[in-house]
């Protein structure tokens, strides 16, 4: 039975989606995993998405188009990411189809599902060999009535190394290269890739521990990314306890932290994924986080 959660900070009610026997469990690469606990009396990860919309003041603008995507693509087959830069929340949606098997998850099909709210300005050639596509959503996108940018991700090797391109109506630009590694087995390659950077001053002894927090090392995979203006690192397959640590470490809005803390047991069967974009600030001589994010499916 669906229950509700009254957010004490916002005086807003969230309709809780409970876990069911039909739930599918995927990480942020849409790779399946076995849940940590039995699903009975637990909550779906999408509750974190809907609650974040309330906290970010975006539920009125974004819930209906996101529900339309969920209906069009299918339950549990869209990855959501909640982004936080210390001042504002925004959202990114990701669609995977590495083998080009499902016409419902092409950019063209997703754009069709969102047509009542927005128009996609970039022209996407569906013959391009992208294995994933994503785009940002926030209330301003709905207000403008258009998606100005789509990210396409390509990979062509078993090591799951890849690259992403920003596609706009004005052209295409390489924005990111990345590589996934096993956290426990590939420590040396992870550290080597992280340290191969023009964005970080490694002379401070604790810098590596800030980039790769010991609290997140106990995960399944680590993705090291090299971006235009920062480096990035992602931790895949963390527990709800680690997610709470992540929220507190990067000063997420109090209602988000409180929601997970209150319902920690309800999310204990899930694995989560989180990411950090970071760079060295020459003015303060410190490592700064330009953006962090957490992920689930809906």
């Amino acid at each position: 039975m669906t229950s509700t959660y009254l957010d004490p900070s916002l005086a807003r009610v969230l309709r809780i989606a409970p876990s069911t026997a039909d739930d599918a469990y995927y990480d942020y690469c849409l790779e399946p995993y076995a849940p940590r606990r039995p699903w009975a009396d637990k909550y779906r990860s999408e509750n974190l998405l809907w609650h974040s919309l309330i906290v970010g003041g975006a539920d009125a603008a974004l819930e209906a188009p996101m529900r339309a995507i969920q209906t069009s693509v299918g339950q549990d087959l869209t990855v959501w990411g909640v982004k936080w830069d210390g001042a504002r929340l925004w959202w990114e949606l990701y669609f995977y189809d590495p083998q080009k098997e499902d016409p419902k998850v092409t950019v063209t099909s997703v754009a069709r599902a969102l047509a009542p709210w927005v128009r996609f300005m970039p022209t996407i050639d569906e013959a391009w060999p992208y294995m994933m596509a994503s785009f940002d959503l926030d209330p301003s996108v709905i207000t403008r009535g258009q998606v100005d940018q789509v990210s396409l991700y390509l990979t062509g090797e078993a090591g799951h190394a890849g690259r992403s391109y920003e596609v706009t109506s004005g052209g295409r630009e390489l924005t990111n290269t990345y590589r996934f590694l096993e956290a426990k087995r590939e420590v040396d390659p992870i550290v080597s890739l992280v340290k191969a950077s023009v964005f970080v001053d490694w002379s401070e002894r604790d810098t590596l521990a800030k980039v790769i927090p010991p609290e997140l090392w106990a995960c399944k995979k680590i993705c090291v990314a090299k971006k235009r203006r920062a480096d990035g690192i992602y931790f895949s397959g963390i527990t709800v306890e680690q997610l709470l640590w992540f929220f507190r470490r990067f000063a997420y809005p109090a209602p988000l932290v409180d929601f997970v803390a209150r319902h920690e047991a309800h999310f204990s069967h899930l694995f989560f994924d989180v990411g950090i974009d970071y760079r060295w600030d020459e003015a303060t001589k410190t490592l700064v986080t330009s953006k962090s994010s957490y992920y689930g499916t809906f």
Side-chain angles (χ1 to χ4, degrees), residues 114-133:
L114 287 176
W117 297 275
V118 295
R119 184 161 69 102
F120 279 60
M121 304 309 291
T123 299
I124 304 299
D125 185 342
E126 294 298 349
W128 291 338
Y130 67 89
M131 48 79 68
M132 178 179 76

Side-chain angles (χ1 to χ4, degrees), residues 82-84 246 250 252 275-277 289-294:
V82 180
K83 311 301 178 76
W84 170 244
F246 178 84
F250 294 101
Y252 273 76
I276 307 161
D277 281 12
T289 301
S290 52
K291 177 185 71 176
S292 65
S293 48
Y294 61 102

Side-chain angles (χ1 to χ4, degrees), residues 20-270:
T20 73
D22 296 326
D23 289 353
Y25 298 90
Y26 297 107
D27 67 10
Y28 72 156
C29 292
L30 218 61
E31 294 182 355
Y33 69 83
R36 301 174 60 226
R37 306 276 190 278
W39 59 266
D41 300 318
K42 301 291 194 299
Y43 293 168
R44 290 172 49 80
S45 73
E46 68 178 86
N47 292 290
L48 298 182
L49 168 64
W50 307 125
H51 184 251
S52 74
L53 294 181
I54 292 174
V55 175
D59 51 319
L62 298 186
E63 182 171 358
M66 287 189 177
R67 297 282 187 187
I69 288 173
Q70 186 180 42
T71 299
S72 176
V73 174
Q75 184 168 285
D76 298 316
L77 295 178
T78 300
V79 174
W80 54 262
V82 180
K83 311 301 178 76
W84 170 244
D85 64 3
R88 74 181 184 98
L89 294 168
W90 72 100
W91 298 264
E92 189 168 1
L93 302 181
Y94 304 79
F95 304 89
Y96 289 82
D97 187 15
Q99 305 303 321
K100 297 290 186 179
E101 298 171 307
D102 190 347
K104 297 190 300 297
V105 294
T106 64
V107 175
T108 302
S109 295
V110 173
R112 192 178 302 120
L114 287 176
W117 297 275
V118 295
R119 184 161 69 102
F120 279 60
M121 304 309 291
T123 299
I124 304 299
D125 185 342
E126 294 298 349
W128 291 338
Y130 67 89
M131 48 79 68
M132 178 179 76
S134 74
F135 54 87
D136 287 353
L137 271 184
D138 65 21
S140 69
V141 173
I142 304 301
T143 299
R144 293 196 311 273
Q146 61 188 53
V147 172
D148 295 320
Q149 171 186 321
V150 174
S151 294
L152 298 183
Y153 302 76
L154 285 74
T155 181
E157 54 183 271
H160 204 5
R163 57 204 182 277
S164 68
Y165 295 84
E166 175 186 290
V167 184
T168 67
S169 56
R172 286 151 268 171
E173 181 180 358
L174 178 67
T175 56
N176 180 7
T177 63
Y178 56 89
R179 184 179 173 191
F180 287 84
L181 299 120
E182 293 183 28
K184 298 177 179 64
R185 192 172 64 86
E186 299 180 288
V187 174
D188 289 342
I190 290 169
V191 173
S192 178
L193 278 172
V194 165
K195 285 194 168 184
S197 172
V198 298
F199 288 115
V200 179
D201 181 346
W202 296 104
S203 62
E204 298 293 330
R205 295 181 60 184
D206 63 345
T207 300
L208 186 61
K210 291 178 180 177
V211 171
I212 313 176
E215 291 84 357
L216 298 178
W217 259 114
C219 65
K220 295 181 180 180
K221 290 184 179 179
I222 289 178
C223 176
V224 180
K226 303 298 179 180
K227 306 185 181 185
R228 287 177 298 183
R229 300 181 183 88
D231 287 342
I233 188 164
Y234 298 80
F235 302 86
S236 178
I238 67 169
T239 66
V240 67
E241 293 86 359
Q242 289 171 297
L243 180 66
L244 264 176
W245 178 90
F246 178 84
F247 276 7
R248 289 163 176 152
R249 166 63 180 81
F250 294 101
Y252 273 76
L256 291 180
V257 181
D258 184 67
F259 177 64
V260 176
R262 285 172 180 260
H263 297 286
E264 183 176 333
H266 291 111
F267 295 113
S268 63
H269 63 310
L270 300 172

